[in-house]
Amino acid sequence: MSEGLSASQRYREITGRVDEAVQRTRARDKERARQLELEVESNGERLARAADRERLVRMSVETQWETAVEALWDERWLSIKPLPKPAASVPAADQNHFDGEVERTRQALEEVLAKRTLLRPRKRD
C-alpha cells in the first residue's frame, strides 16, 4: 500500500490503472480487428478471382478436349474416353504454366495428325 493513501484512494488508483489497461487492450483489439477485416476482404476477393479463374480453366480444358476428340474421330482404332478428372496432386507452378502445357499438347496433337494425313495413301475412288 502506498504510504499516506487510504484504502479507498488506493482502490481508485488500482482500478484506474486497470481501466487504462483495459482501454489500451480495447484499442489494440479494435485495430487488430480492423486489420483482420481487411485481410478477410482481401482474401475474399482473391478467392473470388480464383473461382473465376477455375471456371475459365475448366471451360478452356473442356473445349481443348472436345477439339482433340473431334480431331481423333476418324482414328477408329483409338478408344476415346471421357475427359479425365483433375489430378488430386500436381507440382507447384503458376496457372499460366499449366495453360501453356494444355496448349502445347493440343498443338502437338494437331501436328501429329497433320503429318499422319500427309503420309496416308489417298483412297482411290
Side-chain angles (χ1 to χ4, degrees):
M1 210 173 202
S2 299
E3 290 190 32
L5 293 178
S6 69
S8 63
Q9 290 172 324
R10 180 74 179 136
Y11 174 79
R12 283 192 294 272
E13 179 184 313
I14 292 171
T15 56
R17 288 182 191 161
V18 168
D19 185 55
E20 289 173 4
V22 167
Q23 295 303 322
R24 284 192 308 270
T25 301
R26 282 184 182 156
R28 278 194 309 266
D29 288 350
K30 188 176 182 178
E31 176 60 24
R32 182 65 180 141
R34 188 183 72 73
Q35 290 171 352
L36 291 173
E37 285 173 351
L38 292 173
E39 286 182 39
V40 165
E41 183 179 325
S42 173
N43 289 336
E45 291 169 0
R46 287 178 44 218
L47 183 60
R49 285 192 306 273
D52 288 344
R53 176 74 174 179
E54 178 188 16
R55 279 190 293 280
L56 288 172
V57 167
R58 284 184 186 273
M59 288 178 7
S60 174
V61 167
E62 288 170 3
T63 300
Q64 296 280 11
W65 183 261
E66 290 169 8
T67 301
V69 168
E70 287 175 17
L72 294 169
W73 191 254
D74 291 332
E75 304 298 324
R76 303 277 184 230
W77 58 271
L78 182 63
S79 63
I80 299 174
K81 298 179 181 178
L83 177 65
K85 292 182 181 180
S89 173
V90 294
D94 183 74
Q95 183 60 45
N96 292 328
H97 165 77
F98 295 117
D99 291 343
E101 286 299 308
V102 169
E103 179 63 23
R104 280 187 288 282
T105 303
R106 184 193 57 77
Q107 287 175 350
L109 174 63
E110 287 179 359
E111 289 171 10
V112 166
L113 291 173
K115 287 178 186 175
R116 193 159 172 186
T117 56
L118 290 175
L119 298 176
R120 282 188 184 164
R122 293 186 180 194
K123 293 182 182 177
R124 295 183 184 173
D125 295 321

